[in-house]
Amino acid sequence: MERQEDLTYLGKTIFKVSGHKEEYEITFFSKRGKDWDYSLHFAHESGDEDQLLAVDTRIEEDDEWFDKLLDAALDTLPDEG
């Protein structure tokens, strides 16, 4: 995760879902670090589009899972000193 010069946040998390062949990458964006937008895609090679859509649906519906993925990205944010 990085804080850009315009004070927006941009970061990503790569993760695996049990039973899915390909890894996913979720990219997070926020203007102020409160309301987050995301983009989900395959991390390396394309995979099963239905599985990608199922993961996207879970991210939309499961706030706890979304927060865990976001926290993983935020954990890489450098300390501002």
Side-chain angles (χ1 to χ4, degrees):
M1 179 74 64
E2 294 179 351
R3 190 167 184 189
Q4 308 295 311
E5 288 183 23
D6 64 358
L7 304 181
T8 60
Y9 291 85
L10 183 64
K12 68 180 180 178
T13 300
I14 295 176
F15 63 101
K16 180 104 171 120
V17 175
S18 180
H20 293 211
K21 183 178 177 184
E22 302 300 329
E23 291 184 319
Y24 299 95
E25 179 177 282
I26 185 168
T27 303
F28 296 100
F29 173 80
S30 178
K31 289 185 178 180
R32 297 199 172 117
K34 293 187 181 197
D35 295 319
W36 292 91
D37 291 322
Y38 75 91
S39 174
L40 180 69
H41 48 275
F42 294 106
H44 308 289
E45 296 181 22
S46 293
D48 186 317
E49 193 71 24
D50 289 334
Q51 288 183 338
L52 177 81
L53 294 173
V55 170
D56 189 49
T57 298
R58 181 172 174 199
I59 290 169
E60 284 287 329
E61 296 176 353
D62 188 338
D63 291 339
E64 186 176 327
W65 201 43
F66 177 88
D67 289 344
K68 285 181 182 180
L69 293 169
L70 177 58
D71 286 345
L74 288 171
D75 284 347
T76 68
L77 185 65
D79 290 334
E80 296 178 9

